[in-house]
Structure formats: structure tokens, C-alpha cells
Amino acid sequence: MAYADFYRRSIEDRDAFWADQAKLIAWHVAPQQICDASRPPFYRWFAGGRTNLCHNAVDRHLSARGDQAALIYVSTETGKERVYSFRELHAEVQRMAAVLQALGTRQGDRVLIYMPMIPEAVFAMLACARIGAIHAVVFGGFASHSLASRIEDATPRVVVSADAGSRGGKVMPYKPLLDEGLRLSSHKPDAVLLVDRGLAPMETVAGRDHDWATLSALHRDTQVPCAWLDATDISYTLYTSGTTGKPKGVQRDVGGYAVALAASMKHIFLGEPGETYFSTSDIGWVVGHSYIVYGPLIAGMATILYEGLPIRPDAGIWWSLVEKYKVASMFSAPTAVRVLKKQDPAFLKKYDLSSLKALFLAGEPLDEPTARWINDGLGVPVIDNYWQTESGWPILTIANGVERQHSKFGSPGVPVYGYDVRIVHESTGEELTGPDQKGVVVIEGPTPPGFMQTVWKDDERFVKTYWSSIPGRQVYSTFDWGIRDEDGYFYILGRTDDVINVAGHRLGTREIEESISSHPNIAEVAVVGVADALKGQVAMAFAVVKDASALGDAKAALKLEGEVMKLVDDTLGAVARPARVRFVTVLPKTRSGKLLRRAIQAVCEGRDAGDLTTIEDPTALQQIKDLVQA
Ligand code: ATP
Ligand code: MG
């Protein structure tokens, strides 16, 4: 079926469309209703149905592919590599489920998972799903304050953690951060379950802390059946990346999520049972939830869990895994591609990538030069997809393999089936239907299966934050700014609070960044709007160069700055020209690789940079501070 018809049916004949997709998963009791839209914006999917995410990810595959690979663990940090078949994964998950139950975990309880990228983290997520406990995974790179606020919000019965993670060969102890997080939090879990990797010494608290190896040995052969949950029960909570402020606790259901993922594996990610999927994300992010753990396993695929950097031992490591495990689909982020772009492109050609059908990228705008670089280098289609923690799966992309040749670089594509995506004027609420009209990207309800149910414990915040920002309409705001071209392709221009207003012209930071990054010597750039007495705002650019020798002295830097400005003049017009283009060695980003424009902007305007708990490298912001204050 042509994609346009497929899409139309998903919107115009919603229930029939999703009833079909619901057949992709196994139900213990079939749903009685497809979409309950009686209380917007609290849409309920597949009410009356009973199912289980772990059953769909693991048990369901035992008969057809019990001995095939399910979880492929590769750590270039510790040199460990191990393949778990579906049968082995089934046994491990039951052990973990039995231990969680022995520690008092019951259906509906929260289990906070604060772990490095090790198999036990996946066992813990699936074990929670199995017994109907709600997991709250907290990215392992977060320190005690971020952790404490999430412990307080999730009020877990049990916390699962480990002695340490490892990054670039350096041991990062987790346990002291966890202890501090638990001390700072007013909520205290009943038990802490610890995986001892032997990387760092651990102090344990008697009565509270338990050793995974000891307890799992007691439950080696314990069988724990899947709890049949209501489709609308809660599967997990997960916090947004915190790029724009205080992270929001996204709450997701069971049945809708399972169906959405199963459908996306088929229609978007080209996943076939028995094939291998490789997502380079972290289980602490939504991509890790949907496309390291649940999506590939639900589809009967093997999934690679990779602990390590993209460039260690060298920049060929990912491609060597593609060759070794015959990866069919791969999912990564533009930020990772930009890291590779600074390395020798020969690594892209060194391995046999013939198994690879496509590389999917999401998380940040994929600028055209980066897309082209990786596309040419690998010789496989590169497919951008736009979504959010809130949605759980793609909102915009090019779905259905056959039409992939129509993908346009710089655009994540067209609305995904199930999503009624519109562009509206942010202050009048008027719908903008013409080509190239800029506005806020919004979603008209009902939101599709898999979409967030609410903000954890805060229905009011859900309605107020997401569904009340556009005057006169109850629509979901993505808080992203975009346009649609005459062919219906969307372009994301930046976040709504990143829009720059220069002398009355509204410009997306993304447009300027895209223009600058087309300069052959620019590896990466961040553009922010800075208050200006004359023009209201001016654009400021901070760029990382590919070849630092071009910055030899102050004169050379000025020359490059001039070139970049001219490039913006030529592509977007003088109005978009940054007031300054400054060169830094690294840009401030969140742990998930997103540019922290709000922090850069604050520093440029001499304000406090605000909540920086999610920043990856604080020295990056210091470089900018030094430049603007000099
Ligand atoms: P917070 O909501 O806490 O500020 P965040 O928005 O960065 O953090 P995520 O849910 O991880 O948290 O990121 C979703 C956002 O990432 C989108 O709203 C969009 O701004 C950006 N994004 C994701 N994919 C793409 C893409 N393919 N192209 C452009 N932007 C993207
Ligand atoms: Mg967001």
C-alpha cells in the first residue's frame, strides 16, 4: 500500500487501523475497545485487553527461536562479550524477577534502575515488566542530586544498581553516588540490589543492601510467570533529557506501548525476526527503552547492548560489530556521527556492511552535511526520525521501506501513521497550512498508542504543560518550531524557546546552524539568540572546527569567522548573520548529546546558567564564559 493511503487510514479509520496493528503482539485477553477518547487528553488504548511486555519480548519467542540470540552484550570497557539466547534470557529474567519479589516488590511498585550498560540492567527492566512493577531507569551518568530528585519522585520499593560503570577505560563508581542520592532523598527504598562487577570497592549497608550474585544463586531455577496486566496499566516512568529545564516524568502504558513498538519495528525499522538490531543509545534514554530493549525483542530480533565509546579501541568499533553480528538495522544519534566525522573516514569502509539495511538517526537535528557524510561513507540509506521521550517512538520519519528513496536530507520526513501533526501559529493558534510557514509543531488528539499517558503523579502538569500552550486549541505541543515544504516534508527549526527574533525576523537557531555547518572546516556549531539593545536579539555562534590548524592565530580565526558569516549571508541573508562566530574545542551538551543552548544563552547574557545537572562536560561552558567575558 502506498504510504499516503496507509497514513490516511491511520487517521481516518483509526480504530480499524490500530486493531490490525494490535494483532502484531500476543494478548492474553483481546482488547474490548481500541481507542477510548472519552476524556481528552487522557487517551486510553486497548482497554479491556490483557498482555505483558516481557511475554511479548521473551516468552513468546521461545518455541520458534529459543536458541537464537536475543541479547548480545559487548563491552569494550571490560573486554566482555556474551550472547544470551531467548531461552537464557528467559531464565535470567525469571531469576531477577524472583529476587525482586523476594525483596518485597509487588505489582504496581516502582523499581528504580541506576545501572551501567550491563545485561543485568536489561534483566531488571524485563523482570519488572514481567511482574507488573513499574521501572524508573535513571541514566547511569547522573550524579547524586539528579538521582535523589528522581528517587523522591518515583518512591521506589527497590533500587537496582551496580558497583561501577566504565567510560573510556576509566572506572566510574556508582555506589557512592547512589548512597549520597539515597541520603539526600526523603524517600528510602526497602532494599538496594547490587551487581558487583568487581570494578570498584563497595561499602554496603547491612539490612538494606543485597548482593545480586548471592540472591540470584538462591533463585537459579525459580519460575516466575508473567502477570497479565491491563493494557492501560503503567509499564514505566522515564524522565525527559532536561535540555530545556526541569525534566518531566513521562508515564507510559503496557498494551499501547507494545503495539506501537511492534508496529514501528515492522513499518519503520525494517526489523525481521532472527535479524540483529544495534542501537547505540543508553538504556537511560527513551531510545534505549524502545529500541535497545523492548522493540527489537518484541520483534524477535537479537539486540546489541554496547558498553563503550564509538571511537575506542578505534573509530571502526561499531562497524566491526555490524560485520560480526550481521546487523540489519542500526540506530544512533547525529551527535555520535559528528564524533565519527572528526575521525578517519576510512573506518567506514573497513568492514563488510552488506547486512545493514539502514542507519536510523534521531535525537537532534540532522544537518545535511552530516547526513551526506555518513550516507556516502557507509553506502546505506540514512534515515532521520524525529520524536521525544513523551512519544516513545517516531513522530516524523520516512516509514515503509519502499518509499525511502524519497527521503530529503535535512528533513526528518513526514508524519508517521497515527500522528496527526500540524503546524500552528504560536500566539494566535491559527493553523498554518501553506508551504514554508513557520510555526509550532503540534499533535492533534487522540495521540497514538505508546504515547505518554500523563506526567507521573501529576495529571495537572500534563494538561498544563503539554496541552494548554496554544491559544484556543487543545493540542499537544512538541515545543519544537518547524515548517513543512510543498511536498509535505517537515523541517525542525529548533525548540520554541530557541527561536531568535532579530529586528522582527523570526529565525530558528537550526537554520543558522545548518548553514554554518555546511562550511568545510566546521565540525559542529551551536547558535543562540542573545539580547541586544538595538535589534531585540542577535545570533551568536560557537563552533568546533575540524582542522584546528586553521585557527593558528587570531588573524586566522578572524578570517574563518568572516568566511562563516559570508556563508550565512549567502544562504540565509544578512539578517541571520551571527554577531560573532567564536571557536571552542567542545560544545556544552546534555548527557544524551543535546546542545544546551539555554545555558549558552544565559552565559552570553551574563545570567546564571541554571540547572546544569544534565551537562556532560562543564568545561565546555567555561570556555564560552571565558570567551564572552574576555
Ligand atoms: P526536555 O524536554 O527535558 O527539555 P529534551 O526535549 O531534550 O529534554 P528528549 O525527549 O530526549 O528530551 O528530546 C526530544 C527533543 O529532541 C525533541 O523535542 C526535539 O527538540 C529533539 N529532536 C529529537 N529528534 C530530532 C530530529 N530527528 N530532528 C530534530 N530534532 C530532534
Ligand atoms: Mg522535550
Side-chain angles (χ1 to χ4, degrees):
M1 191 192 292
Y3 181 70
D5 298 328
F6 186 71
Y7 175 78
R8 199 170 312 113
R9 179 155 185 262
S10 78
I11 302 297
E12 290 171 7
D13 203 0
R14 179 177 296 111
D15 281 14
F17 178 91
W18 285 108
D20 277 354
Q21 304 305 320
K23 294 179 192 139
L24 293 169
I25 70 155
W27 294 91
H28 183 64
V29 175
Q32 254 94 73
Q33 200 181 356
I34 302 301
C35 179
D36 170 6
S38 59
R39 205 167 61 94
F42 299 94
Y43 302 102
R44 294 166 77 244
W45 284 92
F46 309 115
R50 293 175 84 80
T51 186
N52 183 289
L53 279 162
C54 184
H55 174 82
N56 276 282
V58 184
D59 303 46
R60 189 188 181 196
H61 305 301
L62 291 175
S63 57
R65 55 190 81 258
D67 296 318
Q68 286 180 16
L71 180 67
I72 299 170
Y73 177 57
V74 178
S75 173
T76 49
E77 295 291 339
T78 59
K80 288 219 163 68
E81 195 156 333
R82 175 159 177 202
V83 179
Y84 296 83
S85 66
F86 278 98
R87 206 175 310 289
E88 287 166 324
L89 181 59
H90 185 236
E92 294 286 358
V93 170
Q94 294 194 83
R95 266 166 222 150
M96 182 65 83
V99 170
L100 289 177
Q101 284 181 333
L103 294 175
T105 313
R106 299 289 171 264
Q107 189 173 327
D109 284 348
R110 272 80 56 213
V111 172
L112 189 131
I113 299 174
Y114 176 62
M115 292 184 98
M117 292 281 281
I118 55 176
E120 289 80 1
V122 177
F123 305 157
M125 290 169 75
L126 291 167
C128 288
R130 191 169 190 85
I131 62 177
I134 299 167
H135 61 65
V137 181
V138 175
F139 175 58
F142 284 142
S144 38
H145 274 96
S146 319
L147 185 56
S149 67
R150 287 158 172 83
I151 293 171
E152 217 142 75
D153 194 46
T155 59
R157 168 91 57 196
V158 176
V159 173
V160 187
S161 189
D163 58 338
S166 178
R167 202 174 140 82
K170 198 168 152 251
V171 171
M172 318 287 262
Y174 278 32
K175 184 63 174 25
L177 300 180
L178 174 62
D179 285 340
E180 179 64 7
L182 287 169
R183 198 186 60 77
L184 292 172
S185 163
S186 60
H187 172 83
K188 310 292 175 199
D190 292 354
V192 174
L193 179 63
L194 293 157
V195 177
D196 188 353
R197 310 175 71 190
L199 292 179
M202 274 193 282
E203 272 178 38
T204 49
V205 176
R208 185 195 75 183
D209 294 356
H210 303 265
D211 176 49
W212 159 247
T214 311
L215 291 188
S216 68
L218 299 176
H219 293 280
R220 266 207 77 72
D221 300 308
T222 312
Q223 303 210 343
V224 180
C226 287
W228 296 115
L229 306 174
D230 283 335
T232 54
D233 279 347
I234 306 169
S235 59
Y236 68 73
T237 66
L238 176 65
Y239 296 87
T240 59
S241 293
T243 311
T244 51
K246 192 175 176 289
K248 301 158 280 272
V250 165
Q251 174 185 316
R252 191 122 35 231
D253 70 358
V254 172
Y257 188 51
V259 170
L261 292 184
S264 72
M265 293 307 296
K266 180 172 170 187
H267 304 300
I268 300 173
F269 296 106
L270 314 173
E272 295 291 334
E275 291 181 345
T276 304
Y277 197 90
F278 179 18
S279 164
T280 68
S281 182
D282 189 284
I283 48 148
W285 311 125
V286 69
V287 178
H289 281 61
S290 294
Y291 299 112
I292 293 176
V293 181
Y294 291 111
L297 293 174
I298 287 174
M301 300 178 82
T303 183
I304 295 182
L305 182 75
Y306 174 71
E307 181 186 43
L309 301 180
I311 51 169
R312 199 171 165 272
D314 61 45
I317 176 66
W318 284 355
W319 318 115
S320 77
L321 294 176
V322 171
E323 176 181 289
K324 179 165 181 187
Y325 293 107
K326 301 201 169 38
V327 171
S329 306
M330 191 163 161
F331 193 144
S332 192
T335 182
V337 177
R338 289 186 198 111
V339 168
L340 296 178
K341 218 168 134 189
K342 292 174 204 154
Q343 309 285 321
D344 185 351
F347 283 115
L348 302 179
K349 298 275 183 228
K350 196 172 159 194
Y351 297 93
D352 176 7
L353 306 182
S354 56
S355 59
L356 195 61
K357 294 185 237 181
L359 171 67
F360 299 90
L361 297 173
E364 270 247 289
L366 175 62
D367 56 283
E368 185 167 342
T370 301
R372 263 188 211 292
W373 181 83
I374 189 76
N375 185 85
D376 295 348
L378 295 178
V380 302
V382 170
I383 295 155
D384 190 2
N385 56 118
Y386 161 87
W387 49 297
Q388 309 181 307
T389 309
E390 290 86 342
S391 70
W393 60 288
I395 298 171
L396 300 171
T397 193
I398 300 293
N400 282 11
V402 283
E403 299 188 32
R404 289 261 151 82
Q405 59 267 36
H406 298 308
S407 136
K408 294 189 190 188
F409 285 133
S411 161
V414 301
V416 170
Y417 55 88
Y419 287 97
D420 189 353
V421 189
R422 315 271 178 104
I423 293 178
V424 299
H425 191 282
E426 67 175 347
S427 45
T428 66
E430 180 204 347
E431 190 175 344
L432 305 174
T433 51
D436 301 336
Q437 283 183 292
K438 294 180 201 174
V440 184
V441 178
V442 302
I443 302 167
E444 195 78 52
T447 44
F451 205 87
M452 74 187 292
Q453 291 179 297
T454 184
V455 171
W456 166 249
K457 290 195 305 200
D458 202 344
D459 285 352
E460 197 187 313
R461 188 169 177 210
F462 176 59
V463 177
K464 247 173 101 176
T465 305
Y466 293 107
W467 293 87
S468 313
S469 73
I470 306 294
R473 309 172 73 103
Q474 197 188 40
V475 288
Y476 171 89
S477 175
T478 63
F479 297 104
D480 286 310
W481 181 253
I483 56 165
R484 179 174 37 207
D485 70 11
E486 72 273 5
D487 300 325
Y489 282 68
F490 282 68
Y491 293 79
I492 301 296
L493 302 178
R495 296 165 188 265
T496 48
D497 48 4
D498 287 339
V499 170
I500 305 179
N501 196 332
V502 185
H505 300 272
R506 295 168 72 64
L507 303 160
T509 49
R510 160 81 196 281
E511 296 169 90
I512 308 175
E513 286 168 5
E514 178 109 8
S515 163
I516 294 175
S517 55
S518 68
H519 187 284
N521 196 19
I522 300 294
E524 231 182 330
V525 59
V527 169
V528 297
V530 176
D532 181 86
L534 219 59
K535 297 182 178 166
Q537 269 187 321
V538 291
M540 283 284 216
F542 296 90
V544 179
V545 295
K546 279 187 206 152
D547 174 12
S549 66
L551 295 177
D553 52 32
K555 225 175 104 197
L558 270 176
K559 179 169 171 279
L560 185 58
E561 179 171 8
E563 280 174 29
V564 168
M565 287 184 173
K566 171 136 192 333
L567 185 64
V568 177
D569 278 6
D570 293 347
T571 49
L572 297 175
V575 60
R577 183 201 305 152
R580 290 295 316 262
V581 182
R582 315 297 296 259
F583 301 102
V584 290
T585 56
V586 52
L587 290 168
K589 289 186 182 174
T590 62
R591 294 291 185 133
S592 55
K594 293 162 187 296
L595 279 173
L596 276 164
R597 293 192 191 78
R598 69 175 160 86
I600 303 176
Q601 183 187 43
V603 164
C604 290
E605 294 183 343
R607 287 181 286 118
D608 181 66
D611 183 0
L612 289 176
T613 45
T614 59
I615 196 167
E616 165 84 28
D617 176 0
T619 68
L621 203 58
Q622 191 58 45
Q623 278 193 37
I624 292 177
K625 232 180 237 172
D626 294 347
L627 278 172
V628 298
Q629 285 170 359

